[in-house]
C-alpha cells in the first residue's frame, strides 16, 4: 500500500482488479485552512485499453504493484510499434507509440539509461534518465553580440522536441535536456 502523496509517474496501481500505469499526477493545494491537498491521478490500463482518472487525499492508501526495471536500448520502429532490446538477455519488447508518446521526444538510437518497466512479464512503459543529450536541428542564427544573459530562442531538436535555448546556441550543437521539466540544461 502506498499513500497518494508518495505516488510517482510510471507507478502501477490496482483499482477494482485492473492494473493502471500512472501517467500524470497533478497536485492541488486548496487555500482554505484545514483543507487536504488533493492528488489528481491520470492513468491508463496496463496493456492498453481504458483510462482511469480520480482524485485522492494525500493520506489515502492505494494498492501498488511491484515493478521490475530492465535496462533497454531503442532498436527500431515497426509501424505503430517501437522495439526496444533488453541490455542483458537481448530479448525484444514492443511498445505502442500511444503508450510512450511523452517519452518519444527524448529517445534516439543512442539514448543511454532507458529502463523498461515490467509487471510480471508485461512491459508497461519506459522510465527516462534524468537528462538526455540531443542535437539542435533548427534554430535562428546566433547573434554576434549574444551574451550569457537570460535571453532565449526556440530550438527544434532531432526528435522534434522544441525547447528554449540561450541565444548563443547554433544548429548542429548538442545540448543536455532535463526530461522531467522538458528544459534546456547545458551544452553537451
Amino acid at each position: 500500500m502506498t499513500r497518494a502523496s508518495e505516488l510517482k509517474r510510471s507507478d502501477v496501481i490496482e483499482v477494482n482488479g485492473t492494473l493502471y500505469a500512472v501517467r500524470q499526477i497533478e497536485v492541488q493545494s486548496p487555500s482554505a485552512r484545514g483543507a487536504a491537498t488533493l492528488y489528481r491521478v491520470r492513468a491508463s490500463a496496463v496493456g492498453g485499453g481504458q483510462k482511469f482518472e480520480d482524485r485522492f487525499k494525500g493520506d489515502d492508501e492505494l494498492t501498488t504493484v511491484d515493478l521490475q526495471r530492465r535496462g533497454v536500448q531503442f532498436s527500431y520502429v515497426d509501424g505503430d510499434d517501437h522495439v526496444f532490446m533488453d541490455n542483458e538477455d537481448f530479448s525484444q519488447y514492443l511498445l505502442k507509440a500511444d503508450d510512450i508518446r511523452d517519452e518519444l521526444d527524448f529517445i534516439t538510437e543512442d539514448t543511454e539509461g532507458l529502463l523498461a518497466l515490467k509487471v510480471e512479464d508485461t512491459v508497461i512503459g519506459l522510465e527516462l534518465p534524468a537528462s538526455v543529450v540531443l542535437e539542435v536541428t533548427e534554430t535562428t542564427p546566433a547573434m554576434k553580440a549574444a551574451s550569457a544573459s537570460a535571453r532565449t530562442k526556440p530550438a527544434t531538436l532531432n526528435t522534434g522536441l522544441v525547447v528554449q535555448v540561450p541565444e548563443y546556441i547554433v544548429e548542429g550543437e548538442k545540448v543536455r535536456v532535463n526530461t522531467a521539466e522538458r528544459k534546456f540544461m547545458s551544452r553537451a
Side-chain angles (χ1 to χ4, degrees):
M1 298 291 266
T2 303
R3 298 170 111 184
S5 60
E6 297 169 351
L7 274 180
K8 300 181 293 284
R9 278 188 70 208
S10 74
D11 278 351
V12 176
I13 58 175
E14 184 177 348
V15 179
N16 298 330
T18 305
L19 297 179
Y20 293 96
V22 175
R23 299 288 179 212
Q24 186 178 5
I25 300 171
E26 292 177 20
V27 180
Q28 298 171 336
S29 298
S31 59
R33 291 186 190 171
T37 301
L38 296 175
Y39 294 85
R40 183 178 182 184
V41 176
R42 292 183 178 153
S44 56
V46 171
Q50 61 195 28
K51 305 257 188 265
F52 170 78
E53 185 174 331
D54 204 352
R55 292 174 199 243
F56 301 100
K57 292 181 181 173
D59 54 355
D60 286 349
E61 296 279 331
L62 296 165
T63 304
T64 55
V65 178
D66 288 334
L67 288 174
Q68 294 177 347
R69 287 175 165 79
R70 304 283 297 196
V72 294
Q73 181 178 352
F74 175 67
S75 292
Y76 60 92
V77 177
D78 182 20
D80 193 33
D81 293 329
H82 288 72
V83 181
F84 295 86
M85 182 179 65
D86 192 303
N87 293 339
E88 292 178 23
D89 64 8
F90 306 110
S91 57
Q92 295 187 348
Y93 306 124
L94 297 172
L95 289 166
K96 299 276 185 210
D98 288 343
D99 294 339
I100 56 170
R101 177 169 284 122
D102 293 339
E103 290 86 355
L104 287 177
D105 288 337
F106 303 100
I107 297 174
T108 61
E109 290 179 5
D110 55 348
T111 301
E112 295 181 11
L114 284 175
L115 297 174
L117 304 173
K118 291 178 70 175
V119 175
E120 296 169 6
D121 288 332
T122 306
V123 176
I124 59 151
L126 295 173
E127 187 173 295
L128 296 169
S131 66
V132 294
V133 175
L134 299 172
E135 184 178 344
V136 176
T137 57
E138 185 180 326
T139 189
T140 56
M143 298 177 65
K144 289 206 185 243
S147 65
S149 68
R151 294 191 307 197
T152 61
K153 61 183 180 180
T156 304
L157 305 177
N158 57 337
T159 60
L161 179 66
V162 177
V163 296
Q164 291 292 321
V165 298
E167 290 180 325
Y168 57 82
I169 299 292
V170 295
E171 288 182 16
E173 234 179 306
K174 292 194 182 280
V175 295
R176 185 167 301 281
V177 179
N178 182 314
T179 57
E181 298 177 0
R182 296 176 165 257
K183 290 185 179 178
F184 167 84
M185 292 173 66
S186 65
R187 283 179 164 155

